[in-house]
Structure formats: C-alpha cells, structure tokens
Amino acid sequence: MGTNIRVESTCDFCGKNFIAKTLKTRYCSHTCNSRDYKIKLKNKKLRGEVKSRKDNKISKDLEALKHKEYLSAQDAAIIVGCSTKTIYRLLSDGTIKGVNLSKRLTRINKKSLDKIIS
C-alpha cells in the first residue's frame, strides 16, 4: 500500500529542506535521526533522568538480598559494592568466612559481611 503524498519539510537536526513521504517525517536521513537521538539521550543522562539497566538490576537485587541469610559471592559483591574477585580474595585471606559446598558453590554468611562493613 503506497501513497503519493510528497510534502516539503525541513530536517529537525541539520535544517536542510527535503521531500517527505509522510506527514510525520522529521529527519532527512537515518543519520540525522541517529545523531539527534544520541544528543537527546546524552542530555537526559546529564540531567539524571536516565538510569542504566545495571543500576535498576542492583536496586532490585538489594531488596531480595535483605531476606537471605547465606549469600553467593555475586550477592555479597552487590551488597559490599565491589567485584566478585575481591570477595573471593577476602575469602581466601580469611577476612570473610564462607563455606564451599562444592566446586562452584560458595556461600557466605551475611553476619560475616556485616562485620566487615561496620
């Protein structure tokens, strides 16, 4: 289903005149559209209106971790705010006490983490 509509319009990004095929077309090309989108997204991030997916995931995980008594190394890293390598290093140093249930199943008591944080 094609249309024969041809509307002379001005690009919102670069200001060039172009022939639009629909009444809603705002940009003369995909490049102008992409550049305008990136600038708008950058400005939103600078104003603090956009949160990254990682921030949203961490906030959801913290709510779920409040009720657990034993944590995995990844959960402990989220609570402490460090990497999992740091948690494993603290485990090997003896700073944090944990239990190795199997080769890939390490659990850390939440009380031992609270001692380090406080």
Side-chain angles (χ1 to χ4, degrees), residues 30-85:
H30 179 67
T31 306
C32 285
N33 185 8
S34 299
R35 289 179 182 166
D36 194 39
Y37 173 76
K38 286 181 182 181
I39 289 172
K40 287 179 182 178
L41 187 63
K42 181 180 176 182
N43 290 336
K44 281 185 180 180
K45 284 182 181 179
L46 290 174
R47 288 190 303 255
E49 295 175 10
V50 176
K51 288 187 177 181
S52 68
R53 290 181 185 175
K54 187 176 182 180
D55 293 339
N56 290 337
K57 184 180 185 300
I58 289 174
S59 62
K60 288 178 184 176
D61 288 344
L62 283 175
E63 292 297 322
L65 295 177
K66 286 182 181 178
H67 305 292
K68 288 185 176 180
E69 189 172 340
Y70 293 97
L71 305 168
S72 67
Q74 294 162 342
D75 296 341
I78 289 172
I79 289 177
V80 175
C82 64
S83 68
T84 53
K85 285 186 177 186

Side-chain angles (χ1 to χ4, degrees), residues 86-87 89-98 112-113 115-116:
T86 303
I87 296 296
R89 184 175 40 81
L90 292 173
L91 281 168
S92 65
D93 291 348
T95 310
I96 298 175
K97 296 191 179 190
S112 68
L113 272 182
K115 289 178 186 176
I116 292 176

